[in-house]
Amino acid sequence: MTLRQFAFNNVLRNRRIYAAYFLSSSFSVMVFFVYSMFAFHPELKEGHIHSNVTISMHFAESIIYVFSFFFVLYSMSSFLKTRKREFGVLIMHGMTNLQLRRMVFMENMLIGAGATVFGIGLGLVFSKLILLLAQNVLRLEKTLPFYLPFVPALLTFAAFMVLFICISLFTVSVLRGHKLIELIKGTAKPKPEPKASGFLAWSAALLLAAGYTLALVVKGTLVVSALIPVTVIVTVGTYLLFTQLSVYLIHKARSNRLFFWRRTNLILFSDLSYRMRDNAWTFFMVAILSAVAFSAIGSLVGFKSMYTKVIKRENPFAMEYHSRAGNPAELAGKHVEAVKQALAEAKLDYRVLEAEMRYGRLENGKSAVFVRTSEFNRIAEAAGEPQAGVSGDEAAVVYYGGRASTPSSDGSSVRIAGTMLSLVPVQRIQSVTLPLYQEYYVVSDSLFDELQSSFQAEKQEHFYAFDVKQAGNLKDLGNQLSDLLEQDRGNGKFKYQSTDYELYEADQSYGAILFVGFFIGMVFFVGAGSFLYFRLYTDLDEDRRKFQAIRKLGLSDRELSGILTQQLMILFFVPILIAVIHGAVALTALQNLFQYRLVVESTAVIGSFALIQTAYFFLIRTRYIANVTRSG
């Protein structure tokens, strides 16, 4: 048998251990390949979206590539530790150190090449589905047909082969310097009693509490300033939580004799302190990576939900036309007729709501805008906004409700310049009825007509709301009208707005970021779950020997299964619980930044990941207990 054949047979014999590593690596390759295939798609070579998508895709590829390097390095190092005894036996039977390193290098490259080819193959199989998903996320007008991605395939293959070569060379160098006795003992060397510092344990709790408090207390733009210090504090606190506080709490639980000597708690907690110490770095990585995934995807989903709701709330009508001061009346009439004609040709049921906005001056020298009550209430009723109830010299002070704002008026009477009239504000209304971002006065129709002589003639504006019934999506019609009216941009001052087209434009700009962020988050989460799997199966042989010995002392299969289930629950869900808390705090801080509630979006994202982790736990639990309880 040649060394190459021997290396190949070794991979087949250890396929149980290498299976998760192979599949996780293949997943990283597949995502990298999909991003490349999308970035190089021929249908995206033209148009403004191409540059945005290309930059986002290549940025995502860089992140995935860097993450894959450390991911493969960690997993390969973990698996080599489980084979130390095997390497020692091979050296005892005459294998030289050079041959051993060559064998490990060939094994790594065999797995790496297989994972790369398999990942590219998976990408090709699911490419049409992923392209269709991207097309819908980005709301592209053009379809994204399947094409033969030679360049993405070559780029992916070359990039990951270089990565696996570098990792293989590094892992081979790690074997250099190990003595034969160390390899023979493998992981059987006795472990010292895990110890924890009370000072560091309490420091972990204090750091996490301080980081959470700072993140939750700051508001507005201060959230951005607090981002770096909070991240550093929470990261250090998380590391100390797993290395010190967890062991400290287990020791405290063991000192409680009534608790420690109850049922199988003695076995559970005696072994748990060793597991927590040995797996501290893995738990830390899982918690941080999962928190990043929660925060990234939750932020992106929340931001999309936020801007969608804000656009729809601030623009309650399907189409709006605002003729500003200085816009020729004949041009405004032409545009309004064009919109009416387009809606009529589309056979849509609609009505036009109009409001006249006039500018005047108050006695204190400030400019003020006045609107008739009848016109304001007609539009407000259609938009589902509060209506004004004024008569005589009364007025309703309206301030824009699309953003966090408060009225500047103190409610006292104001006199209109050049007249003997004083307005008495009797209402304060927060509303998006009219597209005015300053306070304005809604007065009775008779008072509005009486004030005509005091208004500034050159400052006259008209607002037209097109209330379309059961319209569906008017994106295409809005785009056509926008292009048509834009031809007169140099001839007047106006603004045309279509809600559906504005949402489409926002999705075009933001969709690429959402698409990239979602897959990066998924890669991080899959990587976090794989870290747990790798660490668990690294200790499998030791666990099998240990629990087989305990079974001889009278431990039943049911009790053994219960102990293993409890340990696995702690190992799987404690890091995820910490990550969920981190993610919830981060999303709450984001909510404080944008002053927009993200409870529903955050719960949906974190709940989805929790369900995935739960399903992963039950899958691993069944297989792991079967392997531990298996004789031999």
Side-chain angles (χ1 to χ4, degrees), residues 45-61:
K45 288 186 177 180
E46 298 180 358
H48 70 281
I49 191 174
H50 173 63
S51 59
N52 296 335
V53 170
T54 301
I55 293 172
S56 301
M57 293 295 110
H58 291 317
F59 174 73
E61 287 177 335

Side-chain angles (χ1 to χ4, degrees), residues 342-412:
L343 292 172
E345 290 178 354
K347 298 181 180 179
L348 296 171
D349 182 16
Y350 73 96
R351 59 174 174 162
V352 182
L353 305 172
E354 180 182 356
E356 182 183 4
M357 298 168 282
R358 300 297 301 272
Y359 285 77
R361 286 202 172 275
L362 305 179
E363 194 175 50
N364 58 13
K366 292 184 178 179
S367 177
V369 183
F370 299 89
V371 180
R372 288 187 178 90
T373 305
S374 60
E375 294 178 343
F376 174 84
N377 284 347
R378 194 178 300 115
I379 299 177
E381 181 183 11
E385 294 282 304
Q387 299 180 47
V390 296
S391 60
D393 60 354
E394 295 176 342
V397 181
V398 183
Y399 60 100
Y400 193 68
R403 298 170 178 81
S405 57
T406 55
S408 59
S409 173
D410 59 4
S412 59

Side-chain angles (χ1 to χ4, degrees), residues 115-159:
T116 302
V117 173
F118 187 69
I120 294 174
L122 280 179
L124 287 172
V125 170
F126 293 103
S127 58
K128 183 59 182 178
L129 178 63
I130 295 172
L131 288 173
L132 183 62
L133 173 65
Q135 177 185 332
N136 284 280
V137 169
L138 299 177
R139 298 184 70 179
L140 297 177
E141 295 180 359
K142 293 183 177 181
T143 58
L144 296 178
F146 175 79
Y147 73 107
L148 292 177
F150 292 112
V151 174
L154 289 175
L155 174 63
T156 303
F157 185 81

Side-chain angles (χ1 to χ4, degrees), residues 432-450:
V432 296
T433 298
L434 300 180
L436 293 173
Y437 304 108
Q438 66 183 84
E439 290 182 2
Y440 57 94
Y441 294 92
V442 177
V443 298
S444 64
D445 291 15
S446 58
L447 182 58
F448 186 90
D449 294 335
E450 189 176 344

Side-chain angles (χ1 to χ4, degrees), residues 15 29 35 113 185 223 250 284 311 324 345 369 384 400 431 458 475 570 574 581 590 620:
R15 60 183 176 275
V29 173
Y35 279 146
K185 287 184 176 180
V223 174
I250 292 172
F284 170 71
I311 289 175
R324 295 193 172 110
E345 290 178 354
V369 183
Y400 193 68
S431 175
E458 71 280 4
K475 184 259 296 181
I570 293 173
V574 167
I581 297 174
L590 184 73
I620 296 302

Side-chain angles (χ1 to χ4, degrees), residues 160-171:
F160 274 86
M161 288 310 297
V162 170
L163 183 146
F164 282 112
I165 288 173
C166 294
I167 294 296
S168 300
L169 291 173
F170 181 83
T171 52

